[in-house]
Amino acid sequence: QVEMMESGGGSVQAGGSLRLSCGVSTYLYGRFCMAWFRRAPGNQREGVATIDSDGTTSYKDFAKGRFIISVDSAESTLYLQMNSLKPEDTAIYYCAAKSELCNGPNRLNFGGPGTQVTVSS
């Protein structure tokens, strides 16, 4: 089972930035999909952004124009650059992956404890 470890969370004021990282225990090669999700207090987990091995990215509306997802295959690391943070971005952020493109039929796999992001007004 692939293990993942998120890091980079912290406490920032509104308007600030954070860069999240997700280290993956396996080498990223061939086709894959990686994603960021988040869970705010009292809410269900929701998707944030995805990236395919071919570089195709997708963002939820709240992330468009503020967040940037990227992957370094050589380092087996997924990133999420978050800018112009808002208090409503406060959540635990998780990464997920699967060995096919994002539009494939299999579910994403989660393997890390998440990283806490807290944005104060």
Side-chain angles (χ1 to χ4, degrees):
Q1 182 174 342
V2 176
E3 294 182 352
M4 288 167 274
M5 180 60 68
E6 303 90 347
S7 62
S11 297
V12 297
Q13 290 189 326
S17 299
L18 284 172
R19 189 191 194 202
L20 306 184
S21 299
C22 171
V24 183
S25 64
T26 187
Y27 180 66
L28 297 175
Y29 64 95
R31 293 186 174 185
F32 61 83
C33 171
M34 298 198 73
W36 285 101
F37 286 74
R38 70 184 187 182
R39 176 177 286 161
N43 290 354
Q44 292 186 334
R45 187 174 62 197
E46 63 177 347
V48 176
T50 64
I51 185 167
D52 275 318
S53 48
D54 62 3
T56 302
T57 59
S58 177
Y59 298 89
K60 292 294 187 181
D61 285 345
F62 65 80
K64 291 179 180 178
R66 298 191 300 130
F67 296 179
I68 301 172
I69 188 171
S70 62
V71 63
D72 185 334
S73 299
E75 297 295 329
S76 295
T77 303
L78 176 71
Y79 299 100
L80 184 68
Q81 177 67 43
M82 303 189 298
N83 303 316
S84 302
L85 283 163
K86 305 175 182 179
E88 51 264 43
D89 294 318
T90 295
I92 300 174
Y93 285 71
Y94 303 88
C95 60
K98 62 177 178 176
S99 299
E100 62 178 0
L101 296 182
C102 293
N103 61 5
N106 295 313
R107 299 177 66 176
L108 286 156
N109 299 304
F110 294 81
T115 186
Q116 176 71 49
V117 171
T118 303
V119 185
S120 57
S121 58

